[in-house]
């Protein structure tokens, strides 16, 4: 199971969790190359994005991935 995303995690840490999170970080407009070491909080501030909305979007991906994993595990 993947952990909940927090504001203190770096973009790099978030992107390493799963390819879908890597894609989502890019779709949210973050620089996936040069700004990877910024915390999510700092990255949102620099981009002028709502931290709450960004956390919600990323954690929605976490929920989907964890739900799929849970279903697969229960089916085995």
């Amino acid at each position: 199971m993947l952990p909940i995303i927090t504001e203190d995690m770096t973009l790099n840490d978030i992107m390493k969790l799963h390819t879908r999170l890597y894609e989502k970080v890019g779709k949210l407009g973050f620089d996936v190359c040069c700004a990877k070491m910024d915390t999510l909080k700092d990255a949102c501030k620099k981009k002028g994005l709502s931290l709450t909305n960004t956390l919600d979007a990323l954690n929605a991906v976490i929920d989907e991935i964890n739900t799929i994993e849970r279903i697969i595990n229960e089916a085995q």
Side-chain angles (χ1 to χ4, degrees):
M1 299 301 249
L2 296 176
I4 298 295
I5 303 297
T6 65
E7 66 183 30
D8 296 323
M9 294 174 80
T10 66
L11 293 179
N12 192 45
D13 290 339
I14 295 167
M15 293 186 298
K16 284 182 176 181
L17 290 173
H18 197 278
T19 55
R20 288 192 56 210
L21 288 165
Y22 180 92
E23 293 168 0
K24 187 66 172 179
V25 166
K27 287 179 183 177
L28 289 169
F30 294 109
D31 182 353
V32 296
C33 178
C34 299
K36 293 190 296 190
M37 298 316 292
D38 285 343
T39 64
L40 184 60
K41 182 179 181 178
D42 290 341
C44 284
K45 187 175 182 178
K46 287 179 182 178
K47 295 291 286 178
L49 297 174
S50 163
L51 176 59
T52 301
N53 291 345
T54 303
L55 281 167
D56 289 347
L58 292 171
N59 281 315
V61 174
I62 292 285
D63 288 343
E64 291 173 12
I65 294 167
N66 285 342
T67 298
I68 291 167
E69 185 177 320
R70 195 169 22 255
I71 290 169
I72 291 170
N73 288 337
E74 288 173 2
Q76 293 178 350

